[in-house]
Amino acid sequence: MASSTIAFGSGVSTTALGLSSLKRSPTVGVATIIFPKPRRSSAMVVRAEGQTINPEIRKTEEKVVDSVVVTELSKPLTAYCRCWRSGTFPLCDGGHVKHNKATGDNVGPLLLKKQ
């Protein structure tokens, strides 16, 4: 494990700094933070299974899709994922369709269009 020693001013508690699980040093105002050894991971997956992603925005529409016109794009149209279900994230692969059917949600991609 790696460690780091920090010093803080008098009257500042470790809890106020968000450091409630510190190993205290005998010297007042100094604490040693023990950091766990970083794990190697190729990817992190974030999912909210069985829940809607869009709880209140434009719920009367079948699917919420927004378009933005941008002058400097390499492709005429690029779809970005907003449902976190895409296998090609951050690009949209249509994963929202299955999610919308399963949850009754209406989330769709963000479309960037070349001007």
Side-chain angles (χ1 to χ4, degrees):
M1 288 203 183
S3 68
S4 178
T5 302
I6 61 167
F8 44 88
S10 62
V12 178
S13 72
T14 57
T15 305
L17 294 172
L19 306 171
S20 57
S21 61
L22 292 178
K23 179 181 164 190
R24 289 299 225 141
S25 173
T27 309
V28 176
V30 177
T32 302
I33 304 172
I34 307 297
F35 295 103
K37 185 176 180 180
R39 286 189 254 164
R40 291 189 179 192
S41 175
S42 59
M44 184 171 93
V45 178
V46 177
R47 299 214 186 263
E49 297 298 330
Q51 301 174 22
T52 60
I53 293 176
N54 177 17
E56 59 188 56
I57 299 171
R58 297 173 11 211
K59 293 304 279 186
T60 57
E61 297 178 30
E62 184 178 335
K63 181 169 61 172
V64 177
V65 178
D66 293 306
S67 297
V68 178
V69 177
V70 182
T71 56
E72 296 180 21
L73 284 178
S74 59
K75 297 180 182 179
L77 179 68
T78 305
Y80 284 91
C81 176
R82 293 193 297 187
C83 72
W84 295 86
R85 303 296 188 272
S86 176
T88 59
F89 193 85
L91 301 177
C92 177
D93 68 355
H96 59 272
V97 174
K98 181 179 176 185
H99 164 77
N100 288 348
K101 285 182 182 176
T103 64
D105 207 351
N106 67 341
V107 69
L110 170 66
L111 301 176
L112 295 185
K113 297 180 180 181
K114 187 173 185 174
Q115 185 175 28

